[in-house]
């Protein structure tokens, strides 16, 4: 089956975004936690765009849609300079997905779900208590992607809280041990099983 660019543009809006969001493969499923320094309201929202950008220093990035409407996550990060990234596991997929609903800034998604905010060691942004992998982040820089008016946000890992069952002796984190989910497309969640871990490859 071949689909040309012209055909892609002819599809209905929903069909096109479902297709285009699926072709990149499985994506990470994370909740990003922030807190407003002005109102004190905690915000948590699901993101499927968190990507590793380097280990030294440890940098993760994620993409924000255009800020033509209010983006509570973005505004809170810019206010405080800190946020959390929390892996989504099978046990709370429905609550995590509900955080994609567009609530007003004065309403906390924690109050609309069974997710629990957790504050640790003086870190200003809330972690998600139910998550087996919690990452404290410090904002580094942002890049405006002109092609579609989105923003790439880069942050530095400053704290890690991990369920020990996932951590291997060599530092590898096996997410399947805690049934961590991935996202396929916009709204379909998958829970992977460990298949095979292969050795570092060198030319034959």
């Amino acid at each position: 089956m071949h689909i040309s660019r012209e055909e892609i543009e002819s599809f209905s809006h929903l069909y096109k975004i479902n297709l285009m969001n699926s072709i990149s493969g499985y994506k990470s499923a994370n909740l990003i936690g922030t807190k407003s320094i002005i109102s004190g309201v905690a915000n948590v929202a699901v993101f499927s765009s968190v990507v590793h950008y380097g280990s030294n220093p440890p940098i993760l990035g994620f993409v924000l849609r255009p800020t033509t409407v209010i983006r509570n996550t973005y505004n809170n990060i810019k206010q405080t300079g800190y946020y959390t990234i929390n892996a989504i596991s099978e046990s709370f997929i429905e609550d995590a997905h509900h955080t994609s609903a567009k609530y007003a800034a004065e309403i906390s998604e924690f109050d609309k779900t069974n997710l629990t905010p957790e504050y640790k060691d003086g870190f200003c942004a809330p972690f998600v208590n139910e998550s087996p992998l919690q990452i404290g982040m410090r904002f580094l820089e942002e890049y405006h992607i002109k092609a579609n008016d989105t923003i790439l946000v880069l942050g530095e890992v400053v704290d890690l809280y991990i369920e020990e069952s996932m951590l291997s002796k060599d530092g590898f984190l096996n997410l399947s041990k805690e049934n961590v989910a991935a996202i396929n497309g916009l709204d379909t969640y998958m829970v992977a099983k460990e298949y095979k871990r292969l050795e570092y490859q060198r030319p034959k």
Side-chain angles (χ1 to χ4, degrees):
M1 183 178 184
H2 171 236
I3 301 174
S4 68
R5 176 61 190 273
E6 289 73 22
E7 288 175 293
I8 292 171
E9 290 305 313
S10 72
F11 293 147
S12 69
H13 176 69
L14 182 59
Y15 189 97
K16 181 164 69 172
I17 64 172
N18 279 333
L19 180 62
M20 292 300 102
N21 273 278
S22 301
I23 60 174
S24 61
Y26 299 121
K27 297 171 286 188
S28 63
N30 290 285
L31 289 166
I32 293 184
T34 61
K35 188 172 185 178
S36 170
I37 201 170
I38 297 171
S39 66
V41 174
N43 171 258
V44 64
V46 62
F47 281 83
S48 63
S49 60
V50 174
V51 175
H52 165 85
Y53 277 89
S55 300
N56 188 27
I59 295 175
L60 299 176
F62 71 97
V63 175
L64 280 155
R65 286 178 290 179
T67 54
T68 49
V69 297
I70 294 174
R71 302 288 179 197
N72 298 326
T73 297
Y74 178 71
N75 292 342
N76 293 346
I77 290 173
K78 295 296 288 197
Q79 285 175 19
T80 67
Y82 292 91
Y83 55 104
T84 69
I85 297 175
N86 307 267
I88 297 171
S89 62
E90 185 176 19
S91 62
F92 59 93
I93 284 174
E94 287 82 5
D95 278 316
H97 186 68
H98 185 69
T99 66
S100 63
K102 293 176 174 62
Y103 285 105
E106 62 271 16
I107 297 175
S108 173
E109 291 81 3
F110 284 111
D111 294 334
K112 298 298 181 178
T113 64
N114 292 314
L115 300 172
T116 311
E118 182 178 12
Y119 294 92
K120 299 184 178 186
D121 302 323
F123 199 81
C124 66
F127 296 91
V128 177
N129 174 266
E130 291 76 12
S131 177
L133 169 58
Q134 305 168 332
I135 310 169
M137 302 292 299
R138 181 175 67 84
F139 172 78
L140 288 178
E141 48 194 298
E142 64 181 70
Y143 295 91
H144 178 218
I145 301 172
K146 296 178 182 178
N148 61 357
D149 200 28
T150 55
I151 298 173
L152 170 62
V153 176
L154 297 182
E156 179 181 7
V157 176
V158 294
D159 288 296
L160 275 176
Y161 299 95
I162 301 167
E163 286 291 344
E164 290 188 31
S165 61
M166 298 192 298
L167 189 58
S168 302
K169 290 181 179 179
D170 64 353
F172 169 67
L173 206 59
N174 188 337
L175 303 181
S176 69
K177 297 287 187 182
E178 291 291 332
N179 297 317
V180 170
I183 295 178
N184 181 196
L186 287 169
D187 53 16
T188 302
Y189 293 78
M190 309 286 184
V191 178
K193 294 184 290 186
E194 180 182 2
Y195 175 64
K196 185 183 292 185
R197 188 178 180 197
L198 302 176
E199 296 179 354
Y200 180 82
Q201 297 295 292
R202 292 177 174 82
K204 294 181 180 179

